[in-house]
Amino acid sequence: MELDQLRYFLRVAEFSNFTRAAESLMISQSALSRSIQRLEEELGQPVFERQARALKLTDAGTLLRQRAQQVLALADDMLAEITDDGQSGRIRVGAIPTIAPYLLPDVLRGFSTEFPQARLLVQEQTTDVLLKGCTDGEIDIAIVALPIVSKYLKTEALLEEELWLILPPGHPLNARKNIRVSDVESCPFVLLNEAHCLSDNIVAFCRHRAIQPVAVERTSQLATVQELVSLAHGVSFIPDMAKVRDDSSRRVYRRIAGVKPMRTIAMVWNPYRFQSKLLETFKQHLRGLTAPGK
């Protein structure tokens, strides 16, 4: 049994389809099929149940997927440890969509300038997907917003960030010198969908003050939230790192008086995986972050 066979098997299991798996691996479908066939012959039983529209893992395939992930993770760690020179190598960085486009470009640019031999691979995903990637060894480090629920991952807070109230230019609240969170209780909200933790931050802040925000629209992009507010669909809260990069005159940002809505940005990694010198340096690079706009 070869490592490439296990990698091919995992990719087919991921896509449940030989054609898409072969395309992602950049090999022919026939070569991929032969590899899986040899694997099944060696195991003495099938790992996939061929159905009309998709492939389904057999019991043997489910067990093989678990073990294959462990074997390949150990192989990757071994290679990284042997070749660990602190200057070259690969770091797989994950970040949630409300952080990635605002924080990562400067971070990656600065790190790549200092370590030109390093390869930084970025994955932008929701918190749950990133945490699973860290747990499974598919991501080396993730940048997320707290709180998170994870049993085996290490979490370290990086910075606190204020959330700004965003209003359309003609909104009546713009005339007020001070706006308190109770003032927006009757306002319709435009929020990200439930998969995004920023919405959880906003709802938790409001509920803690006995206010239940009513979401009239939900979207998957922070930029869409900003545009919908500009069109007077509702109000919302926007992270400081997105606010300072927004030069549009079609929306107004206001601080909440009193206790301000905040979020904590943190880095997360799997302490049970090998931590290369380059990864440790990248962590230190992240520790040097300061909140945008401060």
Side-chain angles (χ1 to χ4, degrees), residues 126-128 191-201 203 215 217-220:
T126 56
T127 301
D128 288 346
L191 296 175
L192 293 172
N193 61 40
E194 289 85 348
H196 294 270
C197 59
L198 179 62
S199 293
D200 294 335
N201 293 142
V203 171
E217 291 185 81
R218 287 186 179 267
T219 180
S220 61

Side-chain angles (χ1 to χ4, degrees), residues 105-275:
D106 290 341
V107 170
L108 300 182
R109 190 180 302 111
F111 192 80
S112 296
T113 299
E114 188 174 353
F115 298 92
Q117 293 178 290
R119 288 193 303 133
L120 297 173
L121 307 178
V122 177
Q123 181 175 351
E124 182 180 314
Q125 270 293 357
T126 56
T127 301
D128 288 346
V129 174
L130 294 180
L131 295 183
K132 184 179 185 302
C134 283
T135 301
D136 294 344
E138 298 170 356
I139 295 174
D140 297 311
I141 191 165
I143 306 172
V144 299
L146 300 181
I148 64 167
V149 178
S150 182
K151 196 172 181 181
Y152 302 108
L153 300 178
K154 176 74 173 178
T155 302
E156 181 180 328
L158 294 171
L159 58 93
E160 295 283 330
E161 182 184 31
E162 183 179 351
L163 304 180
W164 291 69
L165 178 66
I166 178 174
L167 304 163
H171 198 281
L173 288 179
N174 285 323
R176 298 197 182 188
K177 182 177 180 181
N178 295 307
I179 302 176
R180 298 188 176 276
V181 67
S182 58
D183 296 329
V184 302
E185 182 172 9
S186 61
C187 297
F189 269 74
V190 180
L191 296 175
L192 293 172
N193 61 40
E194 289 85 348
H196 294 270
C197 59
L198 179 62
S199 293
D200 294 335
N201 293 142
I202 295 170
V203 171
F205 173 79
C206 293
R207 283 179 177 172
H208 189 65
R209 285 148 189 84
I211 294 171
Q212 176 62 52
V214 178
V216 293
E217 291 185 81
R218 287 186 179 267
T219 180
S220 61
Q221 298 291 330
L222 200 55
T224 306
V225 171
Q226 292 170 306
E227 289 302 321
L228 288 174
V229 170
S230 298
L231 296 171
H233 286 222
V235 304
S236 194
F237 285 101
I238 295 294
D240 186 66
M241 63 176 61
K243 178 258 181 186
V244 298
R245 288 166 173 78
D246 184 10
D247 57 2
S248 174
S249 61
R250 296 184 297 112
R251 39 195 171 256
V252 177
Y253 292 91
R254 295 288 302 274
R255 273 194 165 104
I256 290 293
V259 178
K260 293 175 171 49
M262 305 287 293
R263 71 170 178 174
T264 302
I265 295 174
M267 58 179 172
V268 180
W269 68 93
N270 187 341
Y272 300 100
R273 295 293 307 272
F274 171 68
Q275 308 291 298

